[in-house]
Amino acid sequence: MTVHSFQEHFDSLIDKEITIEPKDWMPDDYRKTLIRQISQHAHSEIVGMLPEGNWITRAPSLRRKAVLLAKVQDEAGHGLYLYSAAETLGVSRDEMYNQLHTGKAKYSSIFNYPTLTWADMGAIGWLVDGAAIMNQVPLCRTSYGPYARAMVRVCKEESFHQRQGFEIMLTLSRGTEVQKKMAQDAFNRWWWPSLMMFGPPDAESPHTAQSVRWRIKRLTNDELRQKFVDVTVEQAKVLGLDVPDRDLKWNEERGHYDFGVIDWEEFWNVVKGNGPCNKQRLETRKKAWDEGKWVRDAAMAHAEKRKSRQDEAKAA
């Protein structure tokens, strides 16, 4: 078969909604796009542990601490699923880690904002994980098999994370005046970064159109952002919190909420490494990697020793 015929076969699989598997032929750009997206997704799960890990020892009750600890542990597992999915495309985990630690690879810009109060744990669960679910549920039907299968479990666990965050916000919004103000403050600070999570506008996104054509993405950045706004505004009403957007209004003709202009200058500034916590997040990750070297070395030594014993047993 020629490259042209391979391409035709690949296109037919995409058009027929048949998943692409690791051993199938795929265009180089398709492979590169998947590596970029899946590794960025994995990095986001791992770096995303840091803002919440900041509050594990300061949670207001043992129950809250146990739930938050379980949630952070889930995020670590999500990162591992996704790194494994990316490895099926021919990139090594060490290579992906190196790209993260050197700043070559990106992760979600929202994790470069600080968590100032306990209410931020609620806002992250409600808004950030809510945005993640909105983005990730369609990925359960993405065209690349290993990625789609990994996302099924990730989305199930993320739904619990979102409920946990909403429950924290509900408790605070029904608490004392101080607690309600804390919830509103967290909402004010996390609302706009949450909208930025979906990426730049479609007209300025270099990857969206092709990713949709390849069925890697099922919806565009702007479509996902609109769905998130429509759902979250109604949830804010239940909480009794005010959406921090003076331009927000229901558009009867469109059947959607109109919302204000996002500060894309802030978004790109954070993406470029100039956010409030960019340097701190990367330094923490690199420190953990360096200090964990002895664990990796010990695990490799144990694996080699075990294999040697097995080989000796077979030879005996």
Side-chain angles (χ1 to χ4, degrees), residues 28-285:
D28 288 341
D29 286 345
Y30 177 83
R31 185 185 303 274
K32 290 176 182 177
T33 298
L34 281 169
I35 290 174
R36 177 189 55 79
Q37 180 169 326
I38 299 174
S39 64
Q40 180 175 311
H41 192 165
H43 298 328
S44 298
E45 297 284 356
I46 298 300
V47 176
M49 299 164 61
L50 301 178
E52 293 175 298
N54 181 44
W55 279 90
I56 290 175
T57 59
R58 296 183 288 167
S61 69
L62 183 59
R63 173 179 173 271
R64 295 292 189 195
K65 181 179 292 189
V67 171
L68 184 59
L69 187 62
K71 182 187 176 187
V72 172
Q73 185 175 346
D74 281 349
E75 306 295 2
H78 298 173
L80 295 180
Y81 306 152
L82 293 164
Y83 282 131
S84 295
E87 284 178 314
T88 65
L89 292 159
V91 62
S92 71
R93 194 166 305 195
D94 283 348
E95 185 178 352
M96 287 186 280
Y97 286 151
N98 182 63
Q99 290 173 347
L100 172 63
H101 297 157
T102 59
K104 182 179 179 181
K106 304 298 182 183
Y107 54 88
S108 182
S109 62
I110 200 162
F111 298 121
N112 290 311
Y113 290 86
T115 46
L116 305 179
T117 71
W118 172 252
D120 288 34
M121 298 302 96
I124 287 177
W126 173 39
L127 298 173
V128 177
D129 292 325
I133 291 170
M134 196 67 67
N135 187 45
Q136 293 170 8
V137 166
L139 291 177
C140 294
R141 297 183 294 112
T142 191
S143 61
Y144 188 58
Y147 193 19
R149 291 188 287 273
M151 292 314 303
V152 172
R153 178 166 180 174
V154 170
C155 287
K156 288 180 180 179
E157 294 178 350
E158 289 289 359
S159 67
F160 284 103
H161 300 174
Q162 196 269 348
R163 293 176 203 173
Q164 171 254 3
F166 186 83
E167 195 262 340
I168 290 176
M169 296 297 278
L170 185 64
T171 300
L172 291 173
S173 66
R174 293 181 176 178
T176 66
E177 193 61 30
V178 172
Q179 289 173 319
K180 185 170 183 179
K181 286 182 179 179
M182 186 188 298
Q184 183 66 59
D185 173 67
F187 187 16
N188 293 347
R189 287 183 288 106
W190 289 95
W191 171 249
W192 292 106
S194 295
L195 298 190
M196 297 175 193
M197 275 185 71
F198 297 99
D202 294 344
E204 300 175 17
S205 177
H207 306 293
T208 293
Q210 184 60 69
S211 290
V212 171
R213 167 67 186 88
W214 279 330
R215 310 289 201 277
I216 294 175
K217 294 182 69 170
R218 293 288 177 163
L219 297 169
T220 70
N221 296 351
D222 288 337
E223 289 171 339
L224 291 166
R225 193 170 5 255
Q226 184 67 67
K227 287 185 65 177
F228 176 74
V229 170
D230 291 344
V231 169
T232 309
V233 169
E234 297 304 316
Q235 294 172 347
K237 292 178 182 178
V238 175
L239 295 174
L241 299 177
D242 298 322
V243 179
D245 182 355
R246 294 179 181 178
D247 296 323
L248 184 76
K249 61 181 179 180
W250 177 255
N251 187 317
E252 192 67 40
E253 183 178 345
R254 293 198 315 119
H256 296 287
Y257 279 100
D258 292 335
F259 53 94
V261 178
I262 296 171
D263 185 352
W264 291 113
E265 184 177 348
E266 176 186 334
F267 170 77
W268 288 115
N269 192 46
V270 176
V271 168
K272 291 175 182 177
N274 301 315
C277 298
N278 289 64
K279 293 181 180 178
Q280 178 186 342
R281 298 288 183 248
L282 274 183
E283 287 173 0
T284 301
R285 282 302 313 146

